[in-house]
Amino acid sequence: MAALAEAVASSLSIGDSSIQHVYVDETAGVDDVSTPGTEEKPYKTLPFAVHHTDTSKAGVTVNFHSRKSPAAEKWDPVSPTALKKAKKLYDMAVKKAAKDAESAARREEEEKQREAAKLATEEEAKSIVITQDPSLPAAKSIKLRDAVASRGQRVKVSGWVHRLRNQGNMVFVVVRDGTGYLQCVFTDLLAKTYDTITLTLETSISIYGVISPLPEGKSAPDNHELAADYFEVIGKAPGGDDAVTNKVAKDADAQTKYDQRHLVLRGEQASAVLKVRAGVLRAFRKSYETLGLLEVTPPCMVQTQVEGGSTLFEFDYYGQKAYLTQSSQLYLETCLPALGDVFCIQESFRAEKSLTRRHLSEYTHIEAELAFITFDDLLSHLEEIMCRTINYALEDPLIAPLIKELNPDFKAPSRPFMRMSYEDAIHWLVEHEIPNEEGQPHKFGDDIAEAAERRMTDMINKPIFLTKFPVEIKAFYMKKVEGDARVTESVDCLMPGVGEIVGGSMRMDQLEDLMAGYKREGIAPEPYYWFTDQRKYGTTPHGGYGLGLERFLAWMCNRYTVRDCSLYPRWTGRCTP
């Protein structure tokens, strides 16, 4: 009997059996029907405790106590007002849960009905068979670039579904084939076939019909559309979780987009950049041809360095040490006596572990070498080749609209470009309180860091020829300025928003100067015998440069990073896809 009384007293927390104590710990408590609500095992929330405590027992008074956490010194009694509010909150939560359950059940039922209706529509659609009307003229197969010229005649266009809009009895399909876009309209039975109602983005398709101009007030690519009379699905793209819009969602992170670069390329902006890239390459070649330079193709596998050993990609070449080229410059110099002024458009490789938005491990390098010139001639040539190329691109009816779309504010730079010596740039940075990488004022001899260089360029906001860099921070082959052996006849062309896009210099033309350059940099001259011979067998003043195509494009197309200006960009840690 005594044991029973003790158990009852324990469950009520005190010996007086007319009072029951219930405890709530907002940190350590647990809201569960098995929780007893004792000091040792309290509830977590007051609404739950109130709802799960029987307060209707005759002769029993229930007292509620709460605390924020076990660290609290004591349990605080819960006021009647708080109890009333807790009960109201719980009742509201219960009603909301019931309403949510009812809504969920209703949505589930509606979804079942929609699915049933969809299946019924699909089954009905499967019974619709379309065939070509033999009374119609034979369709001429065209590329979309020829769509305007093909208006009024029956054509066959093939491509990928780029955009899709189903309005029941009318379906609008924008097709892309890489040369253009065309809006096609399916009506009547064509809008109701199984292939039509299950059509997905990126499905490859052939569509037959007649292209006609759009009436005033309507819009579509090239202001016309194709009224379809027949179509064939070639390769159906997946929908659902594997749909292209899920694989490369607009808000996807950058790394996901680079993993799915093969799909990103199908987008309008990515493909536009690559089309501008192709147009700019054509324009460069046209400029060089006009200026009398001959294109050559130097090797990419080499056994010499140009820009320093730390950025070389090394590999085994039949048991010999070899590298991927950093630059074709040395080979271009050897062409001058045989071919005259030359240029090349080749890939260059830099094993530079830099993750900045303007660095790539593999990039397209436009390089040129010119004989019998002065440093001023080199600067004039650089200005001419860039401005001429830009003008050609802006005159190209295919490329100019894309540049306008990508960079509406782009204008050809005015000439002449601003000339600024390295020493003047150091003074400018100090005056404008732009520190070096150590946070100190710039001083002569500093290799101006990218951030400071770009800030200066953006503030000046015009193309700059930054000239006459110190010997110590430039390559071994660069010619020193006559009368000032501290600096070289070198130049970087800086563009707003991007920074350096061209690096060039006059080359050492005296044998003893070149041999001293090898020695200064600790380079064994023997592997460079063929380069050294240019100073032995009829030397001449000459100079050249290298232009990074991706940086040039980032400037023209207003891209945040050079990675977006390469088909499949490569940088530190990225060699896929």
Side-chain angles (χ1 to χ4, degrees):
M1 196 67 179
L4 178 60
E6 185 178 346
V8 171
S10 175
S11 69
L12 298 179
S13 300
I14 60 172
D16 186 349
S17 61
S18 65
I19 300 177
Q20 178 183 352
H21 295 273
V22 178
Y23 295 88
V24 176
D25 187 315
E26 295 177 11
T27 302
V30 176
D31 281 347
D32 189 85
V33 292
S34 64
T35 301
T38 61
E39 284 191 74
E40 293 77 16
K41 295 182 178 181
Y43 292 111
K44 186 176 182 65
T45 64
L46 185 58
F48 191 91
V50 170
H51 184 77
H52 289 82
T53 300
D54 186 358
T55 59
S56 64
K57 292 179 182 178
V60 176
T61 300
V62 181
N63 290 338
F64 289 87
H65 309 269
S66 70
R67 67 183 181 187
K68 295 293 183 184
S69 72
E73 294 184 0
K74 63 176 183 175
W75 297 89
D76 296 320
V78 178
S79 69
T81 302
L83 287 173
K84 185 176 180 181
K85 182 178 179 182
K87 187 175 186 310
K88 184 177 180 181
L89 285 173
Y90 193 86
D91 289 343
M92 288 172 61
V94 169
K95 288 178 182 178
K96 184 178 183 303
K99 187 175 180 181
D100 289 346
E102 182 182 338
S103 297
R106 184 170 61 253
R107 286 195 300 271
E108 185 178 352
E109 181 60 29
E110 289 171 352
E111 182 61 32
K112 286 180 180 178
Q113 291 175 3
R114 279 195 298 270
E115 187 63 26
K118 178 185 174 185
L119 291 173
T121 301
E122 289 179 356
E123 285 303 314
E124 182 181 349
K126 288 177 183 177
S127 67
I128 300 174
V129 178
I130 58 171
T131 58
Q132 289 204 61
D133 185 343
S135 68
L136 294 174
K140 177 186 176 184
S141 184
I142 66 167
K143 291 289 186 182
L144 296 184
R145 62 171 173 255
D146 301 319
V148 172
S150 302
R151 288 176 178 176
Q153 57 182 302
R154 188 166 184 258
V155 297
K156 172 188 175 183
V157 297
S158 298
W160 291 262
V161 176
H162 187 68
R163 286 194 292 273
L164 181 62
R165 181 161 49 96
N166 192 326
Q167 294 186 336
N169 292 327
M170 188 176 289
V171 178
F172 294 88
V173 181
V174 175
V175 176
R176 175 194 77 244
D177 75 346
T179 72
Y181 300 87
L182 177 64
Q183 179 168 285
C184 305
V185 184
F186 295 2
T187 57
D188 301 327
L189 284 181
L190 259 64
K192 298 176 181 178
T193 71
Y194 182 77
D195 280 340
T196 302
I197 65 175
T198 60
L199 200 57
T200 52
L201 295 179
E202 296 307 323
T203 289
S204 51
I205 191 171
S206 291
I207 306 175
Y208 300 71
V210 177
I211 301 172
S212 302
L214 283 173
E216 196 73 30
K218 293 190 176 182
S219 63
D222 289 329
N223 292 312
H224 60 200
E225 66 183 14
L226 180 145
D229 58 58
Y230 182 71
F231 75 94
E232 300 167 327
V233 168
I234 310 301
K236 192 167 187 177
D241 291 343
D242 281 339
V244 68
T245 49
N246 289 328
K247 297 286 280 187
V248 285
K250 285 186 177 180
D251 58 352
D253 65 90
Q255 293 306 315
T256 297
K257 288 183 178 179
Y258 287 121
D259 287 340
Q260 304 297 329
R261 179 71 173 164
H262 58 295
L263 297 177
V264 170
L265 293 177
R266 303 182 182 205
E268 293 178 24
Q269 286 211 348
S271 61
V273 171
L274 293 179
K275 289 173 183 176
V276 171
R277 178 187 171 105
V280 167
L281 282 172
R282 287 196 303 272
F284 265 113
R285 285 190 164 96
K286 183 177 179 180
S287 297
Y288 281 124
E289 184 177 358
T290 303
L291 295 176
L293 278 75
L294 184 72
E295 183 171 9
V296 294
T297 51
C300 287
M301 296 182 289
V302 301
Q303 291 185 309
T304 51
Q305 61 173 289
V306 181
E307 299 295 334
S310 63
T311 64
L312 286 166
F313 279 108
E314 182 179 323
F315 66 97
D316 182 275
Y317 186 74
Y318 303 110
Q320 300 179 53
K321 185 183 292 187
Y323 314 102
L324 295 176
T325 184
Q326 299 168 312
S327 166
S328 297
Q329 174 211 318
L330 306 190
Y331 292 98
L332 293 182
E333 289 189 46
T334 69
C335 296
L336 295 176
L339 303 173
D341 298 344
V342 291
F343 78 98
C344 70
I345 299 178
Q346 299 272 101
E347 299 304 290
S348 285
F349 305 85
R350 302 283 172 92
E352 189 172 4
K353 293 182 179 179
S354 176
L355 292 173
T356 76
R357 57 192 173 111
R358 71 174 195 168
H359 281 91
L360 291 169
S361 297
E362 176 186 7
Y363 65 99
T364 301
H365 210 174
I366 300 175
E367 299 182 85
E369 290 292 321
L370 301 97
F372 301 104
I373 62 169
T374 66
F375 187 49
D376 283 340
D377 293 335
L378 177 63
L379 298 184
S380 296
H381 166 85
L382 267 172
E383 195 172 274
E384 175 67 21
I385 198 72
M386 285 190 284
C387 291
R388 182 180 288 267
T389 296
I390 290 166
N391 288 337
Y392 284 152
L394 294 178
E395 292 166 1
D396 187 324
L398 296 177
I399 301 307
L402 296 177
I403 297 173
K404 183 71 174 175
E405 176 187 320
L406 293 165
N407 188 3
D409 297 327
F410 181 78
K411 293 183 179 67
S414 58
R415 301 169 66 176
F417 290 1
M418 178 181 179
R419 267 74 164 169
M420 174 187 278
S421 72
Y422 165 88
E423 194 163 11
D424 287 341
I426 292 294
H427 293 320
W428 191 97
L429 292 167
V430 171
E431 288 172 4
H432 289 80
E433 299 181 346
I434 300 174
N436 61 20
E437 287 187 305
E438 286 74 43
Q440 301 299 315
H442 279 87
K443 60 184 182 302
F444 189 90
D446 284 348
D447 192 354
I448 301 173
E450 176 193 351
E453 180 183 84
R454 285 190 58 173
R455 191 172 171 195
M456 178 182 74
T457 308
D458 290 347
M459 289 174 69
I460 294 173
N461 198 31
K462 61 175 68 173
I464 303 170
F465 278 147
L466 191 58
T467 63
K468 299 180 181 177
F469 290 85
V471 171
E472 290 76 17
I473 63 174
K474 282 298 181 180
F476 70 91
Y477 52 75
M478 292 189 178
K479 188 174 184 178
K480 294 178 183 178
V481 172
E482 189 173 345
D484 189 352
R486 301 175 307 153
V487 295
T488 56
E489 288 190 321
S490 53
V491 59
D492 284 354
C493 181
L494 312 179
M495 289 294 183
V498 179
E500 179 196 346
I501 62 170
V502 179
S505 75
M506 295 298 290
R507 319 308 192 187
M508 290 177 175
D509 51 58
Q510 297 303 309
L511 180 60
E512 58 270 23
D513 291 339
L514 182 59
M515 298 307 292
Y518 288 140
K519 184 176 181 180
R520 185 185 76 240
E521 298 298 327
I523 296 173
E526 290 78 13
Y528 295 83
Y529 71 93
W530 49 273
F531 177 67
T532 307
D533 275 356
Q534 304 308 306
R535 282 77 183 164
K536 292 172 63 177
Y537 295 90
T539 192
T540 177
H542 64 288
Y545 56 89
L547 179 148
L549 176 64
E550 288 80 7
R551 291 188 185 181
F552 191 82
L553 288 167
W555 168 60
M556 282 190 72
C557 299
N558 193 29
R559 299 299 93 184
Y560 176 75
T561 170
V562 295
R563 298 172 185 176
D564 293 342
C565 301
S566 175
L567 182 63
Y568 285 99
R570 298 290 185 254
W571 68 88
T572 304
R574 168 68 64 174
C575 197
T576 187

